[in-house]
Amino acid sequence: MAKPHADKRVLKRPKKSEDDQRGGKHRRKKNHGEDVSQGSPKDQEGGHAPAERSKGLVSEDMYTYRETSMYDKLLTSLKSGHKSLYVTSGRRHGEEDDCDSEEDEYIDSKVDDQSQSEDSSFEGGCDESAGNHAIVNELLDSGIISAKDKGAGAESENDNEAIDSDGEDLLEGHSTTNGAGTDYMSSLNAHLGHNLSKAEVDDLSNKKWKYIWEVPAVDMSNSKWSGTGECFMKDDGMNYVYGLKPSLYKHWLDSHKTSGGSDFQMSKEMAFLSICESYRDILHCNKRPFYHKGHREDSSIMDGYIMHSLNHIFRSGVLVTKNDEKIAKLEEPGHEELLFNDSFRDHGFTRPKVLILLPLRSIALRVIKRLIQLTPSNRKVNVEHMDRFTDDFGSGEAEENEVTALSKKSSKPSDYHALFDGNNDDHFMIGIKFTRRSIRLYSDFYTSDMIVASPLGLITKFGEAEVEKEKDVDYLSSIEVLIVDHADVIVMQNWSHVETVVQKLNRLPSKQHGTDIMRIRHWYLDGHARFYRQSIFLGYYINQEINALFNRQFVNYKGKVKLVCDYKGVLPKVILQVKQIYERFDTKSVEEVNRARFEYFAQKVFPKIHDSVQGGIMVLVSSYFEFVPVRNFLKSQNASFCQLGDHTKQSDISRSRVWFFEGKRKMMLYTERAHFYHRYKIRGIKNLIIYSLPERKEFYPEILNMLDESGSMTCTVMFSRYDQLRLERIVGSSAAKRMITSDKGVFVFC
């Protein structure tokens, strides 16, 4: 239920007497060392009684008592960052300052300086109470805020906004209304314009999401979209509820035709865009990536979220520009009245609105290049720092030729080369700003519209902010669209970094950063931004960590949509005739899985291989957290083993592979992450023990097909009912359900 609108009263600017005007001029000429008015913030902090209220400024009935709100708390927390905030905070509580004091003159100059240096045409805010309307009039009279300040720190004329007022509010001929009567052509305004009630906020904070509807996914016979709340999609999975700017749509359509595509309206690009435009959280973890010959599917999804991001940024800018024009007209000479209402609340704390997390520079290169391609031609007359970007994120022409030559000679699979042959650095962060006719790469984060980064790149910034007090990460305070692409690759890096980034998003800023607080949306001030943020997770597969983050940490009031898949499994890809024995161990809860798994290995599996004379035993573990206790256990048992883990040195890896092949070591302890980054072909494997199933289903047949055919080959797999997500990708969804629920604990596949 939305908050009731504030009393929209027309407030007349108070007229000052000639004495007041003359006094104000004289007071502005005082030196800094002289005393200022008694009602200054300094005196109020010291406990002195406020000065007598200035006559004719504000009527007494406008200063009614009300409880301290999040807005007041925010002003209190930010007042040290900017003195104008302090003045505003004091007057909000009815504490009157002398508006013509030397203090105000100092503040006025500081505000003007910040407005010019902070390129933030999308920043600012507005308050709803009548008392705050009066405050704005006072600030206007005193010179503390100006038209430029009220215009959200607009850029210079040459730089101007990242948008244009072309009158393209809706894409005609494509309007779609859902059953609830919500026009998704204005989905952005409908989403951000809604004010949550306290009851809704309390419900979202403790909500257990229930997926109550399913719709078949486009071109994926084994998948369905499942969602919470009311279904907004048609039964065929196609429901074009988008509100693209016509210039964006036309350019995208032309690009689609140029690339040889047809039937754009029924394409995967449009299907995924329609889901994005619902502003629900999205979990799509069955996307065939480009490095697995899934270029068409991967590109379709990428196009969808890029267009959604551009549309979000441009439409947000259109709203800001139109409001700036309205306010400018109200401040023209001859106008004695100002109108403040909800329509002017169009800002967050800072400018960046979209954050895209990617695992590697080569993937960021691919995404940003496509972003530039999909930007209409009139908006990219100049792409600044493109050469620098290509050098930083590309591998260079000479290196590419060398990499291609090495790829032809290498025995590693083609998907490995497709993913890692480019610039595989995982530490980067770049800001992107859209102006009227240019795209600025490497823009300052506070003046950027979009930030593209790796989780590690952001973690580094967090560390710098903790060490150096002058640095901060407040540019993440107003992120409204979060996109995590190739989440499966990030899992192989360090998923905890993503969890940390999510926790840092949408926090109240530590400084003002030149923001006009009178234009900030109320739900930002109330600390409710996380309920409005849309989070889109995309990857090749889903695991417990991704699932837990999506279900527990994302509380978008619009709801959630996720892809539910029926897997066929990869057992047919095992070429060798290997006897695969699956042994289930029981555990009471997910928290006890690791302990139960280790105990089952130590008590049931290890005694069999320890007493065996035959060597060539590989123990495959999925993560480093499982690797460490198994390694320590084998050392304690004086077992003959070598290790090939995440942090094993190259020299030790080569020696371990030779020892294992020659039989000098009976066992090899191998991690999935080491296989992901190196894709070693291990020789001499006679028996395989899978301590924990691999996350990536293609690794299962790949490693089994390494077994030595000269002797009897066996494969023992340990699993629990909490491994269902991994299990169904390998043995198939139907078989996995039987294995999880069956009374039997041992299953054999040949």
Side-chain angles (χ1 to χ4, degrees):
M1 180 178 178
K3 294 181 179 179
H5 292 294
D7 182 15
K8 300 181 179 60
R9 286 182 282 183
V10 177
L11 304 177
K12 295 184 178 180
R13 290 192 181 190
K15 296 183 179 179
K16 296 182 180 179
S17 64
E18 294 183 1
D19 292 339
D20 290 336
Q21 294 176 1
R22 287 194 298 269
K25 293 179 181 178
H26 290 304
R27 280 191 293 271
R28 289 183 182 273
K29 295 180 181 179
K30 288 183 179 181
N31 296 325
H32 288 285
E34 295 179 1
D35 192 15
V36 295
S37 63
Q38 293 179 348
S40 66
K42 180 178 179 181
D43 291 337
Q44 292 174 27
E45 275 192 329
H48 297 287
E52 184 179 354
R53 189 179 306 277
S54 300
K55 296 181 180 180
L57 283 177
V58 185
S59 60
E60 287 291 334
D61 62 345
M62 292 182 130
Y63 288 89
T64 56
Y65 172 79
R66 66 185 187 88
E67 294 182 357
T68 303
S69 67
M70 181 65 74
Y71 184 92
D72 303 307
K73 295 178 181 178
L74 176 65
L75 291 177
T76 302
S77 65
L78 294 182
K79 63 186 179 183
S80 60
H82 199 290
K83 293 188 177 182
S84 63
L85 270 176
Y86 188 82
V87 176
T88 305
S89 178
R91 294 181 179 180
R92 181 178 171 84
H93 293 284
E95 299 170 351
E96 200 65 40
D97 295 326
D98 190 338
C99 61
D100 290 323
S101 67
E102 185 69 23
E103 181 78 4
D104 288 352
E105 184 178 35
Y106 168 78
I107 294 170
D108 190 22
S109 64
K110 295 293 289 183
V111 171
D112 287 338
D113 291 341
Q114 281 202 0
S115 298
Q116 295 173 4
S117 63
E118 290 287 346
D119 191 0
S120 53
S121 63
F122 290 13
E123 300 170 2
C126 177
D127 188 36
E128 66 182 349
S129 67
N132 291 326
H133 299 169
I135 291 171
V136 176
N137 285 335
E138 293 177 49
L139 296 178
L140 283 167
D141 288 338
S142 64
I144 293 178
I145 64 173
S146 63
K148 178 166 60 176
D149 296 327
K150 284 172 57 50
E155 305 172 24
S156 64
E157 291 181 1
N158 295 331
D159 206 17
N160 213 351
E161 306 86 356
I163 43 76
D164 48 13
S165 300
D166 53 8
E168 300 173 335
D169 290 337
L170 299 178
L171 183 59
E172 296 181 1
H174 297 282
S175 180
T176 303
T177 304
N178 71 350
T182 301
D183 185 1
Y184 280 94
M185 292 304 302
S186 57
S187 56
L188 172 65
N189 293 337
H191 177 55
L192 300 183
H194 176 69
N195 286 315
L196 293 171
S197 66
K198 185 178 184 303
E200 288 176 312
V201 170
D202 293 340
D203 179 62
L204 287 169
S205 301
N206 304 299
K207 189 169 186 176
K208 293 184 178 179
W209 301 95
K210 295 182 180 179
Y211 296 87
I212 58 179
W213 55 265
E214 290 185 348
V215 170
V218 178
D219 292 341
M220 289 186 283
S221 58
N222 64 331
S223 302
K224 295 181 180 180
W225 287 107
S226 180
T228 65
E230 185 175 359
C231 179
F232 65 96
M233 302 174 67
K234 296 180 180 178
D235 292 339
D236 59 359
M238 310 293 284
N239 188 21
Y240 300 116
V241 289
Y242 55 88
L244 280 181
K245 286 175 63 65
S247 57
L248 276 176
Y249 175 78
K250 183 180 182 301
H251 182 72
W252 195 18
L253 178 61
D254 293 342
S255 176
H256 182 78
K257 291 179 179 178
T258 303
S259 62
S262 60
D263 197 5
F264 190 48
Q265 290 299 319
M266 300 297 291
S267 64
K268 278 190 174 183
E269 292 92 328
M270 295 301 296
F272 188 69
L273 173 65
S274 69
I275 301 174
C276 292
E277 284 293 303
S278 72
Y279 277 96
R280 287 165 169 79
D281 290 338
I282 302 171
L283 178 60
H284 184 341
C285 283
N286 191 33
K287 183 189 69 168
R288 190 177 182 186
F290 68 92
Y291 51 86
H292 274 304
K293 299 181 180 179
H295 288 275
R296 177 73 180 88
E297 181 177 343
D298 207 351
S299 298
S300 299
I301 300 301
M302 180 175 64
D303 277 11
Y305 73 68
I306 286 176
M307 292 304 295
H308 177 57
S309 301
L310 289 173
N311 196 49
H312 184 89
I313 291 170
F314 291 164
R315 285 213 173 277
S316 298
V318 167
L319 178 62
V320 171
T321 297
K322 289 183 177 180
N323 286 340
D324 288 346
E325 292 173 352
K326 292 177 183 178
I327 294 175
K329 289 181 180 179
L330 291 172
E331 294 180 340
E332 289 178 356
H335 288 79
E336 297 181 353
E337 299 175 344
L338 283 175
L339 178 67
F340 292 89
N341 56 44
D342 291 343
S343 63
F344 295 124
R345 298 191 190 101
D346 51 14
H347 288 43
F349 294 115
T350 54
R351 177 165 178 161
K353 292 293 181 286
V354 178
L355 173 64
I356 302 179
L357 294 183
L358 301 170
L360 304 172
R361 282 182 181 260
S362 59
I363 295 178
L365 176 71
R366 181 171 177 264
V367 171
I368 295 176
K369 277 189 172 181
R370 186 57 177 164
L371 174 75
I372 295 172
Q373 290 173 358
L374 291 178
T375 303
S377 301
N378 65 323
R379 307 191 66 87
K380 57 179 178 183
V381 175
N382 181 29
V383 181
E384 300 181 17
H385 307 298
M386 189 63 191
D387 292 339
R388 174 188 171 188
F389 171 71
T390 303
D391 292 340
D392 289 349
F393 286 78
S395 55
E397 184 177 352
E399 292 182 28
E400 286 180 0
N401 295 333
E402 183 180 351
V403 165
T404 303
L406 292 173
S407 301
K408 294 180 179 178
K409 298 179 181 180
S410 175
S411 61
K412 299 184 187 299
S414 59
D415 63 288
Y416 176 86
H417 291 292
L419 180 60
F420 290 111
D421 279 354
N423 190 333
N424 55 21
D425 180 25
D426 62 351
H427 188 278
F428 61 90
M429 188 171 174
I430 181 173
I432 303 175
K433 176 180 179 178
F434 298 90
T435 63
R436 187 180 295 274
R437 294 192 177 278
S438 67
I439 300 175
R440 296 180 181 176
L441 305 179
Y442 297 98
S443 60
D444 179 79
F445 297 131
Y446 281 101
T447 63
S448 299
D449 299 301
M450 175 187 294
I451 296 175
V452 179
S454 66
L456 181 59
L458 279 171
I459 291 296
T460 302
K461 292 294 182 182
F462 297 160
E464 292 175 356
E466 291 178 358
V467 175
E468 303 177 45
K469 298 302 181 182
E470 67 275 10
K471 294 185 177 181
D472 58 68
V473 290
D474 290 345
Y475 44 76
L476 299 179
S477 63
S478 301
I479 296 298
E480 294 171 354
V481 178
L482 167 66
I483 299 170
V484 182
D485 198 3
H486 297 282
D488 55 291
V489 179
I490 298 178
V491 166
M492 290 294 154
Q493 295 173 336
N494 193 334
W495 186 252
S496 64
H497 289 344
V498 178
E499 296 173 342
T500 302
V501 170
V502 171
Q503 292 172 2
K504 296 284 187 178
L505 293 180
N506 300 120
R507 291 187 173 183
L508 294 178
S510 59
K511 304 173 185 176
Q512 184 188 0
H513 302 289
T515 307
D516 177 8
I517 62 172
M518 307 308 290
R519 295 265 300 268
I520 300 177
R521 297 181 187 272
H522 281 294
W523 45 265
Y524 271 115
L525 300 172
D526 292 335
H528 296 161
R530 64 192 182 106
F531 299 115
Y532 291 80
R533 185 187 67 237
Q534 180 187 29
S535 302
I536 302 174
F537 270 41
L538 308 166
Y540 184 34
Y541 61 80
I542 187 174
N543 67 358
Q544 289 182 342
E545 289 80 7
I546 296 175
N547 204 33
L549 185 63
F550 185 78
N551 289 333
R552 299 173 186 173
Q553 298 299 321
F554 298 151
V555 287
N556 184 351
Y557 83 89
K558 296 286 285 195
K560 300 174 184 287
V561 182
K562 69 177 181 180
L563 196 68
V564 180
C565 305
D566 185 17
Y567 297 95
K568 297 180 179 179
V570 295
L571 294 183
K573 294 184 179 181
V574 179
I575 301 174
L576 303 178
Q577 296 297 318
V578 183
K579 189 176 182 179
Q580 304 161 58
I581 304 172
Y582 283 72
E583 300 181 8
R584 190 183 68 206
F585 61 91
D586 296 325
T587 179
K588 295 180 180 179
S589 64
V590 66
E591 290 81 10
E592 298 182 4
V593 169
N594 291 335
R595 181 189 59 80
R597 192 188 306 274
F598 175 76
E599 290 180 355
Y600 188 87
F601 173 79
Q603 298 172 10
K604 302 290 184 181
V605 179
F606 179 75
K608 298 178 183 177
I609 61 177
H610 184 64
D611 297 336
S612 175
V613 178
Q614 184 182 17
I617 302 171
M618 174 182 280
V619 180
L620 177 66
V621 298
S622 178
S623 70
Y624 188 73
F625 298 104
E626 298 168 335
F627 172 85
V628 172
V630 174
R631 179 197 61 189
N632 295 341
F633 173 76
L634 294 178
K635 286 183 178 180
S636 67
Q637 299 297 314
N638 295 320
S640 174
F641 79 101
C642 56
Q643 59 187 21
L644 206 165
D646 302 354
H647 307 292
T648 306
K649 297 180 181 179
Q650 186 60 45
S651 57
D652 294 336
I653 290 174
S654 301
R655 183 168 53 250
S656 295
R657 293 175 67 184
V658 172
W659 284 350
F660 183 71
F661 175 65
E662 295 178 351
K664 294 181 179 179
R665 293 292 185 272
K666 188 176 178 179
M667 290 182 286
M668 173 180 280
L669 187 58
Y670 193 34
T671 66
E672 179 185 7
R673 191 169 184 269
H675 189 67
F676 173 76
Y677 279 105
H678 303 289
R679 301 295 275 275
Y680 294 119
K681 186 171 179 58
I682 309 298
R683 297 181 298 167
I685 307 175
K686 296 181 175 61
N687 293 284
L688 177 63
I689 296 174
I690 299 182
Y691 181 87
S692 52
L693 286 165
E695 293 278 16
R696 307 184 74 85
K697 60 184 180 181
E698 69 272 16
F699 287 178
Y700 183 85
E702 189 172 305
I703 294 177
L704 259 67
N705 289 330
M706 292 182 189
L707 287 168
D708 190 349
E709 297 183 76
S710 60
S712 58
M713 302 174 294
T714 61
C715 174
T716 302
V717 181
M718 299 165 49
F719 75 98
S720 73
R721 62 190 180 95
Y722 294 104
D723 295 323
Q724 183 173 354
L725 293 175
R726 303 184 191 186
L727 187 64
E728 63 181 4
R729 290 196 292 269
I730 293 173
V731 303
S733 297
S734 58
K737 291 178 182 177
R738 291 196 303 269
M739 295 167 68
I740 293 296
T741 58
S742 176
D743 295 335
K744 298 180 180 179
V746 179
F747 308 88
V748 180
F749 295 90
C750 296

